[in-house]
Amino acid sequence: MPEPMRESVGLQWIGGWRGGDRNVARRHQLMLGVIGALLGALLLGCKADKPPSPAETGLANAAKDVIIPLEAGQMTNPLPETDEVVSQGQEVFLGSCAQCHGADARGDTNVGRNMNPPAMDLSSAHVQHWSDAELFWIIQNGVRLTGMPSWKSSISADDTWKLARFIHNLPRLDAASASAAVPSQAQAAVSAQDKYALKIPNGLAFSEFRGYEGWSVISLSHNGDKVAAILGNPVMINAYKAGIPRNGEPFPDGAKMAKIHWNAKVNLGEPGGPTVPGTQHDVDFMVKDSQRFRDSGGWGFGVFEYLPASDKFRPGNLTDKPPQGNDAKCGFACHTAVKTKDYVFTDYGHR
């Protein structure tokens, strides 16, 4: 095997090209080696329906390093490395990347495992050696022949920089989780269902709203036999405080709402016999993404019904009232009544 090819096959990671320690000639040499090795592998009869060999996976990883342009190393992340930015990056990750890379970013999902090559473990040394700028370039542009698509039309530049911050903090977050983990019988008793693994076919994933339980209250409602709390993520709350939608402006991308419905019950044990939440009925979600949901006013809608007997959730379906189709806009027809309010019924309650 020629020397450049042998170097490429055995190379664990080669990206970066920062400053003078990588030059164009070296990059071209590595590119030729990777291309030659890939062609050789194809001639040996590699098939997509078989798991890739370690050599093939190594070649694919080397290809990712080679394609990163020199310009990427000259960019810098404009966002500070704060807990808030990392948390926002995690929100973007769970909404767009977790389907392949998994909620823990290790690639251990049905989709990720069956990709050739498999989706990368983003906490691995190979990924962690890339700079924020190189991660930005890969996310925005994708990598041909690896299954990594271009997210340029779906994830903004600002959110991509947040993703880079989150990815580079994965080792720290994993360590913090491990140190905080205390095995107990109480933990073992937690419901076996991971609600964040649920997804509406062709629609929203529960994981896109991770942490909604702690969001700020927008308002409350009581409609017939249901009471509800309407919650908003920080993007949504800040938009309300800025006067949206009263000022005629639309909510920004990334705004999210959660509406938790409970069956109403009268509590005679309290003064006045107030109507209070009983068993949970469902949780509704809305997210603003003007590119992803162009044909539904820029909003994606989803409903997850709660099943008290099993303490589990399920995606809404056509047997529910109102019926919920398997798409991202099951609530769009209803919300067109408030199109002039950017399809949002709920006003921000004074406090």
Side-chain angles (χ1 to χ4, degrees), residues 63-327:
K64 292 185 181 79
D65 292 316
V66 170
I67 56 89
I68 301 171
L70 294 170
E71 294 79 14
Q74 300 171 2
M75 296 189 296
T76 57
N77 195 328
L79 303 179
E81 190 174 359
T82 62
D83 288 343
E84 182 180 8
V85 169
V86 172
S87 178
Q88 291 171 353
Q90 184 178 31
E91 276 196 36
V92 177
F93 175 84
L94 292 170
S96 300
C97 314
Q99 184 175 0
C100 293
H101 290 282
D104 62 358
R106 296 185 180 277
D108 190 21
T109 67
N110 287 333
V111 175
R113 286 191 300 271
N114 288 290
M115 295 173 69
N116 284 334
M120 296 190 77
D121 176 355
L122 300 185
S123 66
S124 67
H126 191 112
V127 173
Q128 290 298 314
H129 101 279
W130 285 324
S131 68
D132 279 7
E134 289 164 341
L135 289 173
F136 179 94
W137 192 94
I138 291 173
I139 295 167
Q140 286 280 291
N141 296 281
V143 183
R144 282 174 174 262
L145 306 179
T146 68
M148 175 63 187
S150 166
W151 288 93
K152 188 176 295 184
S153 63
S154 303
I155 301 179
S156 68
D158 190 58
D159 280 348
T160 304
W161 287 120
K162 293 176 183 177
L163 266 176
R165 290 293 190 203
F166 167 68
I167 291 170
H168 275 147
N169 272 271
L170 283 170
R172 177 178 68 82
L173 296 173
D174 287 346
S177 297
S179 63
V182 180
S184 66
Q185 291 183 344
Q187 288 175 327
V190 172
S191 171
Q193 185 199 38
D194 177 8
K195 63 186 179 183
Y196 289 114
L198 295 175
K199 185 179 187 299
I200 297 171
N202 303 316
L204 297 180
F206 214 125
S207 61
E208 297 181 58
F209 299 85
R210 186 179 292 272
Y212 73 93
E213 302 93 336
W215 289 353
S216 298
V217 173
I218 298 172
S219 188
L220 306 173
S221 72
H222 179 196
N223 190 351
D225 61 349
K226 303 290 188 301
V227 294
I230 302 93
L231 315 176
N233 73 343
V235 177
M236 193 77 190
I237 298 298
N238 289 338
Y240 272 121
K241 290 180 177 179
I244 297 173
R246 295 192 315 273
N247 59 11
E249 295 294 320
F251 287 95
D253 282 3
K256 298 179 181 181
M257 300 175 70
K259 186 174 186 179
I260 306 172
H261 282 104
W262 293 272
N263 294 303
K265 72 174 185 179
V266 175
N267 188 345
L268 297 177
E270 293 186 24
T275 299
V276 298
T279 57
Q280 186 174 351
H281 185 272
D282 62 70
V283 59
D284 304 350
F285 293 129
M286 287 177 62
V287 57
K288 183 66 175 291
D289 189 327
S290 54
Q291 293 298 314
R292 183 180 173 193
F293 304 113
R294 274 180 276 188
D295 58 346
S296 56
W299 290 92
F301 303 85
V303 172
F304 293 87
E305 299 286 330
Y306 178 66
L307 309 174
S310 60
D311 189 26
K312 294 182 178 180
F313 288 87
R314 65 163 175 80
N317 58 47
L318 295 174
T319 67
D320 296 320
K321 297 180 181 180
Q324 307 294 333
N326 286 339
D327 53 38

